[in-house]
């Protein structure tokens, strides 16, 4: 594979935030919903009713009834929400009034508008489907970096037969920690990658997102301080927010986590650090070896339990992307991996690697929501992971080619955008030079989904940024980007 050597453009990543001088030291109590956060949750809401106020009220009602907006969450003030949505303040006022009339919102003097949970179907606001997630498909989805399925996935599925299932058909089919064959396969894979692992140290999950959710709801409790990178993986931010933890963002730079800011955070005795030193999402950067060693020393000295998300490690552009295992005691380190990025998002198999007592604790917690992944999916993943070297090379080749074509399209269609060359992953972290939240709203009206920077921020920062997927063919990407101008 040819090396990916496109020159860096624009400012260094450490200078990308636009949240003001105190954005790195503010701890977030996630019960207060910002305008940018609510815009992301609303999605393509405008088709949800006969008028804009009715459509907004209907979509907000679905978010409340589905517990996406939790009990007592404080919604943003009307004026900033109206600005973020690109509508009049009267539209938001009318929508809030409809929610209050339907018993879903309580306006309290000095406290704002708070969510009240109720059963759907009552008076006031029309019910129905969750508009934000099940509306008509957009012609172009640039909000996700998920890759299409690889040819290896179809081959492995075709090779799966009755003989593979026979050992399991005589059981009840429930394997909360994962079937032995897959746990052993993952343990061998991690060992071959330089992290000696036994099957007892592996918990199979329904993708990496479930792994993050289990960590957020098992290893910390409501009110605990959790340190994360700024920016960070948006699914992790949502998981920790749902667990009602306090989040403190530590700036991610081209040299990895800002260690001075981490030292300051450690004085607050955090319960957990969540980080991505191998390949960082959304920036695509990787932490240099010296920085990993220094981070490991800080973690070890503080005795800080650390969750290392290695979901994108297989997609490093220039060979293996080592993590923290060589620098952090095993009892402090929890690692997350996935088969989805190498093979296909439809293969819902991820894993947690930790010491055996932590795996046992997470397995017990997992039983409350899920008695185990599909045995068929696990057998499929076991077969796929035996071809991991081939899969890694295929993904690198795809991303190398598409990186060059994506940069070419951006240079011609949106030449004012700026970015830094990633070291891996499926996305480009681009500074658009304008309000990306408003840009995303305009794009939705044109049938295009985007992922604006605040979705990846603890503090609603990176407001001019987008995370743009790299894998789209130029013939598909160019007209979509042209429609945004």
């Amino acid at each position: 594979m040819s090396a990916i050597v496109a020159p860096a453009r624009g400012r260094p990543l450490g200078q990308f935030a636009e949240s003001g001088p105190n954005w790195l030291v503010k701890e977030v109590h996630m019960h207060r919903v910002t305008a940018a956060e609510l815009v992301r949750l609303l999605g393509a809401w405008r088709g949800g009713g006969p008028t804009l106020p009715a459509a907004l009220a209907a979509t907000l009602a679905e978010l409340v009834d589905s517990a996406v907006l939790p009990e007592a969450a404080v919604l943003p003030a009307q004026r900033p929400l109206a600005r973020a949505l690109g509508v009049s303040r009267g539209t938001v006022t009318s929508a809030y009034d409809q929610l209050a009339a339907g018993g879903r919102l309580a306006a309290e003097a000095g406290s704002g508008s708070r969510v009240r949970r109720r059963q759907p179907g009552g008076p006031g606001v029309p019910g129905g489907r969750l508009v934000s997630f099940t509306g008509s498909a957009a012609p172009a989805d640039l909000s996700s970096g998920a890759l299409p399925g690889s040819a290896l996935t179809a081959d492995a599925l075709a090779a799966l037969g009755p003989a593979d299932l026979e050992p399991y058909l005589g059981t009840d089919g429930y394997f909360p920690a994962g079937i032995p064959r897959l746990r052993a396969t993952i343990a061998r894979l991690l060992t071959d990658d330089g992290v000696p692992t036994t099957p007892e140290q592996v918990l199979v999950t329904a993708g990496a997102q479930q792994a993050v959710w289990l960590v957020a709801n098992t290893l910390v409790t409501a009110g605990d301080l959790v340190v994360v990178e700024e920016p960070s993986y948006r699914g992790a931010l949502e998981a920790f927010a749902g667990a009602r933890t306090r989040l403190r963002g530590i700036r991610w730079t081209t040299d990895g986590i800002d260690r001075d800011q981490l030292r300051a955070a450690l004085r607050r005795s955090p319960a957990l650090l969540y980080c991505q030193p191998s390949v960082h999402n959304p920036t695509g950067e990787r932490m240099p070896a010296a920085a990993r060693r220094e981070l490991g020393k800080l973690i070890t000295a503080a005795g800080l339990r650390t969750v290392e998300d290695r979901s994108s490690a297989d997609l490093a552009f220039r060979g293996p992307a080592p993590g923290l295992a060589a620098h952090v005691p095993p009892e402090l380190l929890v690692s997350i991996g996935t088969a989805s990025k190498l093979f296909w998002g439809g293969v819902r198999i991820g894993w947690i690697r930790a010491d055996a007592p932590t795996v046992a604790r997470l397995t017990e917690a997992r039983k409350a929501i899920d008695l185990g992944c599909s045995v068929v999916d696990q057998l499929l993943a076991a077969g796929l992971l035996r071809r991991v070297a081939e899969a890694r090379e295929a993904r690198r080749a795809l991303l190398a080619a598409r990186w060059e074509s994506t940069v070419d399209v951006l240079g011609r269609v949106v030449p004012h955008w700026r970015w830094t060359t990633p070291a891996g992953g499926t996305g480009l972290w681009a500074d658009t030079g304008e309000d990306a939240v408003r840009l995303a709203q305009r794009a939705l009206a044109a049938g295009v989904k985007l992922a604006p920077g605040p979705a990846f921020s603890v503090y609603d920062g990176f407001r001019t940024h987008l995370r743009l997927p790299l894998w789209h063919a130029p013939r598909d990407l160019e007209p979509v980007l042209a429609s945004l101008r």
Side-chain angles (χ1 to χ4, degrees), residues 17 26-27 60 76 99 112 122 158 166 187 205 215 217 242 275 282 310 318-319 336 353 382 389 405 436 462:
K26 172 187 172 188
E27 289 171 13
L60 284 168
L99 289 172
E166 187 175 356
T205 62
V215 165
N217 287 272
C275 60
R310 289 178 50 79
R318 301 178 185 89
I336 292 172
R353 190 266 185 200
S405 63
F462 307 97

Side-chain angles (χ1 to χ4, degrees), residues 81-226:
L81 180 58
R83 285 198 301 268
L85 290 172
V87 299
S88 70
R89 183 181 180 185
T91 294
V92 177
T93 300
S94 177
Y96 277 17
D97 287 346
Q98 292 181 57
L99 289 172
R104 292 179 174 90
L105 204 63
E108 302 175 8
S111 299
S113 298
R114 291 182 176 272
V115 169
R116 296 176 62 187
R117 291 294 306 283
R118 59 182 296 285
Q119 293 300 315
V125 182
R129 58 200 174 91
L130 186 57
V131 178
S132 4
F133 300 106
T134 59
S136 58
D141 187 352
L142 300 184
S143 66
S144 171
L147 296 170
S150 72
L152 296 177
T153 304
D155 292 345
L157 187 59
L160 195 63
D164 297 292
L165 276 173
E166 187 175 356
Y168 302 97
L169 291 176
T171 73
D172 60 13
Y174 299 129
F175 296 87
I179 62 173
R181 182 193 298 188
L182 181 55
R183 296 178 79 190
T185 300
I186 294 170
R188 285 195 298 272
L189 172 64
L190 297 176
T191 299
D192 291 345
D193 284 343
V195 184
T197 304
T198 65
E200 292 74 26
Q201 293 176 288
V202 175
L203 167 61
V204 177
T205 62
Q209 184 61 42
Q210 186 186 66
V212 175
W213 188 93
L214 279 171
V215 165
N217 287 272
T218 305
L219 301 186
V220 291
T221 59
D224 279 349
L225 179 61
V226 175

Side-chain angles (χ1 to χ4, degrees), residues 314-458:
D314 287 319
L315 304 180
F317 294 156
R318 301 178 185 89
L324 295 174
H327 311 295
V328 176
E331 65 273 13
L332 293 180
L333 189 62
V334 176
S335 296
I336 292 172
T338 183
S340 297
K341 293 188 183 298
L342 273 182
F343 301 105
W344 184 39
V347 180
R348 299 308 305 144
I349 296 296
W351 57 84
I352 297 173
R353 190 266 185 200
D355 64 296
T358 300
V359 166
R361 179 181 174 188
L362 290 166
T363 301
E364 287 302 309
R366 189 253 184 91
K367 292 178 184 178
I369 59 163
D370 181 7
L371 294 178
C373 298
S374 159
V375 171
V376 176
D377 280 3
Q378 293 186 73
L379 290 170
L380 176 62
L384 286 169
L385 290 174
R386 287 195 288 271
R387 303 179 69 179
V388 70
E390 185 180 352
R392 286 170 175 167
E393 185 56 35
R395 287 308 201 199
R396 288 170 187 159
L398 169 67
L399 292 170
R402 292 296 167 81
W403 161 259
E404 294 177 359
S405 63
T406 298
V407 167
D408 177 67
V409 170
L410 291 175
R412 287 186 286 105
V413 180
V414 282
H416 59 287
W417 287 16
R418 296 291 180 262
W419 59 84
T420 298
T421 306
T426 65
L428 182 88
W429 187 236
D431 185 349
T432 68
E434 62 178 297
D435 189 324
V437 174
R438 294 186 182 180
L439 175 61
Q441 282 292 298
R442 295 203 312 270
L444 274 177
V448 179
K449 295 180 181 179
L450 298 175
F456 304 88
S457 172
V458 176

